[in-house]
């Protein structure tokens, strides 16, 4: 369809105006919502209502949204009703966010009823008249760890305590690290315990180096304890080298190099050396 639109653009720019009415009638007869949207948006004097009827009759929610977004004097109420009746969370969110005069409450209801964490988060974040608590409750009910973290991070008035509970109960070390790092008022100790209990090497390393008030020694001990699980010298060397290089990068960024970075990478090295470096950061 892209090539047809490109040809129409070229035709419109280079042919006499008296041909345009014939072109419009041919387009209306085709009953294609994309081409009618293009014509209504592009051609001065286009029969907006006729092209809008093509779009409405198609029930194509993408072009109902685009027509409302791109065409002046579009019937927002009629186009919005098609979107609402579709029960599509994405386009109800987009319509409420971007179309002046949209029925915010009706679009919000579709998004809430969809129980979709992503679009409930987007709606609460981007739509000025959104009821934050209604959208937040969907994310809490879904026990969605990703959007619980994002909701707490991005949305003023979020219930951070309840969202933190979802993150803590998930046992996910990465999002507990992020919650502790970025959410003001987070219970650092509780999130740290999840990360420590997970045994995740990188999450413990990141928590120790990035989170203010983190107990670096406890997180470093997770790295040391992991040594006994290493199965081959090659794997051992790769893991050890990975964390040494991460420490180097952190120190270089802080313009405070540690002389002990010259430690040779040998198979008999152990994570206690990483612990010593961590405690110096």
């Amino acid at each position: 369809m892209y090539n047809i639109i490109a040809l129409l653009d070229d035709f419109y720019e280079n042919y006499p105006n008296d041909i345009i009415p014939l072109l419009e009638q041919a387009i209306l007869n085709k009953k294609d919502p994309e081409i009618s949207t293009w014509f209504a948006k592009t051609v001065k004097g286009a029969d907006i209502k006729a092209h809008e009827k093509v779009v409405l009759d198609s029930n194509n929610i993408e072009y109902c949204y685009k027509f409302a977004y791109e065409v002046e004097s579009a019937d927002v109420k009629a186009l919005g009703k098609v979107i609402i009746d579709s029960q599509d969370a994405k386009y109800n969110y987009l319509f409420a966010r971007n179309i002046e005069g949209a029925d915010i409450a009706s679009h919000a209801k579709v998004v809430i009823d969809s129980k979709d964490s992503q679009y409930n988060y987007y709606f609460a974040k981007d739509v000025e008249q959104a009821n934050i608590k209604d959208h937040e409750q969907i994310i809490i009910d879904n026990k969605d760890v990703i959007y619980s973290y994002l909701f707490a991070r991005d949305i003023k008035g979020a219930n951070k305590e309840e969202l933190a509970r979802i993150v803590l109960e998930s046992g996910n070390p990465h999002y507990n690290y992020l919650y502790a790092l970025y959410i003001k008022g987070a219970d650092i100790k509780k999130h740290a315990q999840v990360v420590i209990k997970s045994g995740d090497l990188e999450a413990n390393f990141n928590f120790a180096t990035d989170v203010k008030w983190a107990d670096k020694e406890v997180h470093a001990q997770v790295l040391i304890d992991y040594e006994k699980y290493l199965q081959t010298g090659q794997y051992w060397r790769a893991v050890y080298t990975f964390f040494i290089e991460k420490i180097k990068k952190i120190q270089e960024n802080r313009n405070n190099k540690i002389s002990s970075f010259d430690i040779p990478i040998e198979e008999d090295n152990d994570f206690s050396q990483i612990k010593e470096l961590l405690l110096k950061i």
Side-chain angles (χ1 to χ4, degrees), residues 165-180:
R165 179 182 64 80
I166 300 300
V167 175
L168 289 164
E169 290 178 358
S170 75
N172 184 301
H174 177 66
Y175 283 99
N176 274 275
Y177 153 67
L178 290 176
Y179 206 97

Side-chain angles (χ1 to χ4, degrees), residues 118-137:
Q118 179 182 15
Y119 288 107
N120 274 279
Y121 158 70
Y122 285 157
F123 206 102
K125 180 170 72 75
D126 297 333
V127 179
E128 188 175 345
Q129 300 172 44
N131 185 320
I132 301 302
K133 295 304 176 187
D134 287 346
H135 297 286
E136 180 180 61
Q137 193 59 50

Side-chain angles (χ1 to χ4, degrees), residues 81-101:
K81 185 177 184 304
V82 175
I83 303 289
I84 292 164
D85 290 346
S86 75
Q87 298 295 295
D88 184 279
K90 174 183 175 181
Y91 279 99
N92 274 276
Y93 151 68
L94 289 173
F95 208 93
R97 186 188 74 176
N98 294 324
I99 307 302
E100 186 176 352

Side-chain angles (χ1 to χ4, degrees), residues 93-151:
Y93 151 68
L94 289 173
F95 208 93
R97 186 188 74 176
N98 294 324
I99 307 302
E100 186 176 352
D103 182 345
I104 302 299
S106 295
H107 292 294
K109 185 177 185 304
V110 172
V111 174
I112 292 165
D113 288 348
S114 76
K115 301 189 184 303
D116 184 291
S117 295
Q118 179 182 15
Y119 288 107
N120 274 279
Y121 158 70
Y122 285 157
F123 206 102
K125 180 170 72 75
D126 297 333
V127 179
E128 188 175 345
Q129 300 172 44
N131 185 320
I132 301 302
K133 295 304 176 187
D134 287 346
H135 297 286
E136 180 180 61
Q137 193 59 50
I138 297 300
I139 290 167
I140 292 170
D141 290 346
N142 288 346
K143 299 185 184 300
D144 192 306
V145 61
I146 297 174
Y147 286 102
S148 289
Y149 158 67
L150 291 174
F151 210 98

Side-chain angles (χ1 to χ4, degrees), residues 198-233:
S198 75
D200 185 284
L201 295 183
E202 188 164 8
N204 274 278
F205 181 92
N206 290 338
F207 207 102
T209 55
D210 297 340
V211 178
K212 192 175 182 180
W213 312 120
D215 188 333
K216 294 179 182 179
E217 189 159 351
V218 174
H219 291 285
Q221 191 62 44
V222 174
L223 305 179
I224 296 167
D225 291 344
Y226 191 74
E227 177 182 351
K228 61 187 175 184
Y229 297 111
L230 299 173
Q231 297 176 351
T232 67

Side-chain angles (χ1 to χ4, degrees), residues 43-100:
V43 179
K44 185 177 180 180
D47 186 340
I48 301 299
K49 291 303 176 186
H51 291 287
E52 185 172 65
K53 187 176 186 305
V54 169
V55 175
L56 288 168
D57 289 348
S58 75
N59 271 324
N60 185 308
I61 58 174
E62 178 183 357
Y63 285 99
C64 282
Y65 165 67
K66 286 184 175 179
F67 201 97
Y69 186 74
E70 296 175 352
V71 179
E72 289 186 20
S73 75
D75 186 340
V76 168
K77 184 176 180 180
L79 294 162
K81 185 177 184 304
V82 175
I83 303 289
I84 292 164
D85 290 346
S86 75
Q87 298 295 295
D88 184 279
K90 174 183 175 181
Y91 279 99
N92 274 276
Y93 151 68
L94 289 173
F95 208 93
R97 186 188 74 176
N98 294 324
I99 307 302
E100 186 176 352

